[in-house]
Amino acid sequence: QKEVEQDPGPLSVPEGAIVSLNCTYSNSAFQYFMWYRQYSRKGPELLMYTYSSGNKEDGRFTAQVDKSSKYISLFIRDSQPSDSATYLCAMSDYKLSFGAGTTVTVRA
Amino acid sequence: DVKVTQSSRYLVKRTGEKVFLECVQDMDHENMFWYRQDPGLGLRLIYFSYDVKMKEKGDIPEGYSVSREKKERFSLILESASTNQTSMYLCASSDRGTNTEAFFGQGTRLTVV
């Protein structure tokens, strides 16, 4: 069983829709939970991170962590075509472990 | 502007060749990582290093080795390249503390023929 599970999609939504992404994990030692965004032919870049359980909001992006369920989510409100990318969840104890990534396309 | 630089964007090698992928970071980070990225499998950790001359195996170390002689440089070595090592290779670095933000290079697309 992989430590981090993420549905690779792809996901296609119309502009303005809410995008919902999620990951599950098995390692209880993970303390930091991150979301990275990767545009085509580029390396991933950190979007946001949360520590332990709870919510974090940054503009149109909201990250949620539920450690009791070993489940994390990312929501993108009012999605834009520029949000089209692959989104990867990542988790950290002493090393970084990534999910498979979900490819999102926002249609104009 | 912070940078992680990988030596090549594209590389084509023959089966059995010894291949070196180089990565340099300018942020004085303690941690450095090598991942490979394949469709549907995401980023899989090959090796990481948390200090000079220190290394630890990741999830898929077979067929690879690494070298970290200087803090800013982390090399990935394919001892005898095989076709199943055709992939995108990504190097990253991060601060030792929380490991919350890793900075990635642009990637090296390696094709083994």
Side-chain angles (χ1 to χ4, degrees):
Chain A
Q1 182 192 4
K2 291 172 68 174
E3 273 195 317
V4 182
E5 298 279 359
Q6 182 178 8
D7 186 343
L11 196 59
S12 180
V13 300
E15 184 175 357
I18 295 175
V19 176
S20 174
L21 304 167
N22 55 75
C23 292
T24 59
Y25 63 95
S26 57
N27 185 350
S28 299
F30 289 140
Q31 291 291 328
Y32 293 92
F33 303 89
M34 287 76 75
W35 287 95
Y36 282 76
R37 179 173 59 195
Q38 185 177 22
Y39 290 114
S40 182
R41 290 188 292 277
K42 300 275 191 181
E45 291 180 318
L46 181 69
L47 196 56
M48 54 195 305
Y49 77 89
T50 54
Y51 173 68
S52 199
S53 283
N55 292 2
K56 187 173 184 178
E57 193 171 313
D58 183 3
R60 296 183 295 110
F61 299 87
T62 300
Q64 292 183 348
V65 175
D66 181 350
K67 289 194 75 177
S68 62
S69 302
K70 295 191 177 65
Y71 188 90
I72 73 169
S73 301
L74 177 71
F75 301 96
I76 308 173
R77 292 185 301 279
D78 188 25
S79 56
Q80 304 295 310
S82 58
D83 295 326
S84 298
T86 297
Y87 292 82
L88 302 108
C89 62
M91 302 173 192
S92 170
D93 43 12
Y94 64 97
K95 60 182 173 67
L96 280 171
S97 299
F98 283 83
T102 301
T103 299
V104 174
T105 301
V106 180
R107 307 185 306 272
Chain B
D1 196 17
V2 296
K3 264 197 173 164
V4 177
T5 304
Q6 294 183 230
S7 51
S8 307
R9 285 299 301 272
Y10 301 95
L11 216 49
V12 180
K13 295 292 181 180
R14 295 195 179 278
T15 302
E17 275 193 80
K18 191 168 186 175
V19 181
F20 293 86
L21 303 183
E22 306 285 344
C23 175
V24 177
Q25 51 100 358
D26 65 0
M27 294 164 282
D28 202 35
H29 283 163
E30 288 84 6
N31 298 336
M32 295 189 75
F33 307 84
W34 274 107
Y35 293 89
R36 62 177 283 176
Q37 186 173 29
D38 300 286
L41 297 177
L43 271 71
R44 292 182 291 166
L45 182 63
I46 304 171
Y47 268 96
F48 68 102
S49 168
Y50 50 88
D51 206 345
V52 175
K53 296 192 188 296
M54 305 301 287
K55 60 186 179 185
E56 281 204 28
K57 293 180 180 179
D59 301 316
I60 51 163
E62 296 78 20
Y64 303 95
S65 62
V66 290
S67 171
R68 191 159 180 208
E69 296 296 318
K70 293 185 177 181
K71 190 176 186 180
E72 67 271 18
R73 187 179 297 270
F74 192 35
S75 303
L76 180 69
I77 303 152
L78 286 67
E79 297 290 343
S80 177
S82 64
T83 54
N84 62 14
Q85 292 178 310
T86 292
S87 186
M88 171 68 81
Y89 290 87
L90 288 160
C91 174
S93 72
S94 72
D95 266 339
R96 185 197 301 281
T98 58
N99 226 6
T100 50
E101 182 166 16
F103 293 86
F104 282 85
Q106 293 280 66
T108 297
R109 170 69 66 183
L110 172 67
T111 303
V112 182
V113 297

